[in-house]
Amino acid sequence: MGVRFALAQQTHSDNPPFVVRRVAIRVEALAALLGAAVACLLMMAPLNLGGSSDGAVWKTDLLVVDLPQAAAAGAAFAMVSAAVVVALGQRIAWIVSCGSAIVLLADQAWNRAAVTAENLATASYIDCIVSGILLGALAVAVLGKPIATGAYLIGALGAIEVADQTSLPSSGGNPIIQWVSVGTLPAWLLVMTALLLAVGGALQHDEPATEESNTDLAIGPTLSVLVLVTATTLSTGWLVRHAVTPAQIGVTAAVIIAAAMVAALLLPGRDGTLVLLAVAAANAGSAIIAVPRPDWSLPLPILAVVAGLAAGRRWRSPWIALAATGGLAVFAALTADAAHQRTVIPVLGVTLAALIVGFCFGVAVPETVGSTVVALAVMIVPGLVVALRGSSFGLVAYSPRWYRDPNGAVSAMPGWMALVITLGCAAAMYRLRRIRPARDRAEPEPPQMSGAIGTTGGSPEGNSAGMVSVNAGA
């Protein structure tokens, strides 16, 4: 496909004062960190168990049944949002991000005021869809701003890891864990996020229209996320509704690997490498036994994500990332039986999972913002391993109440299937790299602003000229 969209930006003769630029960098970074974290927390942990505890059990079950579809809808809207907003400019991206945060604040206030199972089902879909719009628009807003982009990835990946590893809520537990596991973030956090996004938008400079601007939609990345999210959601939903046999598990794994390969080919160049790494890392991370673990371990996944991103930028080999992911899958399989008795195993597991996820996103830096959003979407949607862990009660979830159960049944099968997925992604990546040879770095290229850490164009403030493009791969 030759479909392409781009946003041409030109340097401005009236540069803002140095002090204003320094303030803008800090505000943008903090806004990106909080905005991405809030969006991913609400998509990964959208169920208010505290609010639905008084309702009938069957109503809670219906909520949990809908959550994978709600998360998938949010992931799809993240890519659509990025595809649309990138053609409108970064100031519009900040405005859309701020507007999304305000809608989330209003929805959370309504959620607290009207707590019924029916309202929570609607609120979960609203939270996921609006959070997806926030995540996608914010990815465009931080284009060409290396510090803000790094903060965006730390916020998104850190929130994904924390939400994915959250235990069922219990009385007297850590209040931060309670915020995550009841799906109701504190109002002050949402207000602060909206205010920072508003200030970040106000600090953007007017960008004059150029004849080079092209507002065609990003067909390739949009199709990529739709193929992968749809295949994952439908295949995992089908699996949990049937008696899980080795043949059915194999078919589901094959469908997901094939969808990952197609999704990777729909992205430009070798950008699909990050998507394949994300598919492997997401399933391996879901295979570990993450609970019970002490409250002091809560910051470890966030710190590990930061360390992983830094390490990935230092050792730029996707094969190392895949090998580490395979090692994590084996660790999950071998320690499954003992994890509930020895807290050191869950602590080590969550730290390694976050470290490897950060490493994957640091190793494979896409050329386009759309590819980054597709990879984040993969991390958000529950995959095959989550379906295997929920097959005993017929839900794509860690437990009948969505979150990880410290007393739940354990099995080595999810770990071994995560290893199969990793090997399949390795084969797909080998094929991708044969089809898409590495770009000759000796060839002169126009300056670019990339949508991931380590941008190739633009000043640290992100105000230099550049071209942002997302191509639909062949």
Side-chain angles (χ1 to χ4, degrees):
M1 299 180 187
V3 180
R4 166 192 181 109
F5 77 95
L7 173 64
Q9 298 199 351
Q10 298 190 6
T11 53
H12 306 287
S13 57
D14 52 341
N15 289 325
F18 176 73
V19 175
V20 175
R21 292 201 305 270
R22 289 179 63 89
V23 172
I25 291 172
R26 286 163 173 75
V27 170
E28 290 166 352
L30 186 55
L33 178 71
L34 292 181
V38 165
C40 290
L41 280 175
L42 290 176
M43 281 192 284
M44 292 288 292
L47 175 60
N48 188 332
L49 289 175
S52 61
S53 59
D54 295 332
V57 173
W58 68 269
K59 292 182 178 180
T60 302
D61 291 342
L62 288 177
L63 284 173
V64 177
V65 168
D66 287 340
L67 289 179
Q69 287 79 14
F77 269 87
M79 185 60 245
V80 173
S81 171
V84 172
V85 172
V86 75
L88 302 177
Q90 286 186 300
R91 170 164 286 185
I92 298 299
W94 283 98
I95 293 174
V96 172
S97 299
C98 179
S100 301
I102 293 173
V103 172
L104 289 173
L105 176 61
D107 184 58
Q108 291 293 304
W110 172 68
N111 190 6
R112 290 187 179 94
V115 181
T116 67
E118 291 81 1
N119 288 342
L120 288 174
T122 303
S124 292
Y125 270 96
I126 294 174
D127 282 348
C128 288
I129 291 173
V130 179
S131 296
I133 294 173
L134 170 58
L135 187 68
L138 195 53
V140 177
V142 299
L143 277 172
K145 306 173 189 292
I147 296 177
T149 300
Y152 172 84
L153 285 178
I154 292 170
L157 296 176
I160 287 171
E161 291 302 303
V162 169
D164 180 64
Q165 297 163 359
T166 298
S167 174
L168 283 169
S170 59
S171 59
N174 190 312
I176 299 179
I177 295 178
Q178 300 300 313
W179 287 341
V180 175
S181 59
V182 301
T184 305
L185 296 177
W188 62 263
L189 178 60
L190 294 171
V191 171
M192 181 183 297
T193 301
L195 287 175
L196 285 169
L197 290 170
V199 174
L203 292 173
Q204 304 305 304
H205 305 293
D206 292 328
E207 297 168 0
T210 67
E211 295 181 357
E212 301 175 10
S213 297
N214 186 344
T215 58
D216 292 342
L217 291 180
I219 302 299
T222 303
L223 288 177
S224 177
V225 76
L226 289 177
V227 166
L228 192 48
V229 167
T230 302
T232 301
T233 303
L234 292 180
S235 62
T236 54
W238 171 82
L239 182 66
V240 297
R241 290 193 299 269
H242 295 79
V244 179
T245 65
Q248 292 172 337
I249 296 174
V251 169
T252 305
V255 168
I256 292 176
I257 293 171
M261 181 61 186
V262 172
L265 290 174
L266 286 169
L267 298 175
R270 290 185 172 183
D271 279 10
T273 298
L274 179 58
V275 173
L276 295 172
L277 291 177
V279 171
N283 282 277
S286 297
I288 64 169
I289 305 300
V291 293
R293 64 182 192 276
D295 290 345
W296 59 261
S297 65
L298 182 62
L300 291 182
I302 301 173
L303 298 175
V305 164
V306 176
L309 285 168
R313 296 297 296 151
R314 175 64 178 84
W315 294 287
R316 300 289 298 276
S317 171
W319 299 112
I320 295 178
L322 274 178
T325 303
L328 180 65
V330 173
F331 170 84
L334 296 180
T335 60
D337 293 334
H340 281 176
Q341 287 74 40
R342 300 179 182 178
T343 56
V344 66
I345 294 177
V347 171
L348 184 59
V350 298
T351 304
L352 289 175
L355 182 68
I356 291 170
V357 166
F359 187 78
C360 290
F361 276 77
V363 161
V365 180
E367 298 178 357
T368 61
V369 64
S371 304
T372 302
V373 175
V374 174
L376 289 175
V378 169
M379 301 296 300
I380 291 168
V381 179
L384 170 61
V385 170
V386 179
L388 284 177
R389 298 188 64 172
S391 60
S392 60
F393 44 85
L395 295 172
V396 184
Y398 290 113
S399 73
R401 298 185 70 196
W402 183 253
Y403 300 102
R404 296 186 187 243
D405 187 355
N407 301 312
V410 294
S411 169
M413 176 61 73
W416 296 126
M417 287 313 303
L419 180 61
V420 171
I421 293 288
T422 301
L423 293 175
C425 289
M429 191 170 73
Y430 173 79
R431 183 60 181 164
L432 174 67
R433 296 171 80 84
R434 291 290 300 271
I435 297 173
R436 306 271 177 84
R439 178 179 296 178
D440 187 0
R441 297 295 180 183
E443 294 180 3
E445 299 178 3
Q448 280 192 342
M449 291 197 303
S450 172
I453 271 185
T455 55
T456 57
S459 65
E461 296 79 20
N463 293 326
S464 62
M467 177 75 74
V468 182
S469 64
V470 176
N471 299 326

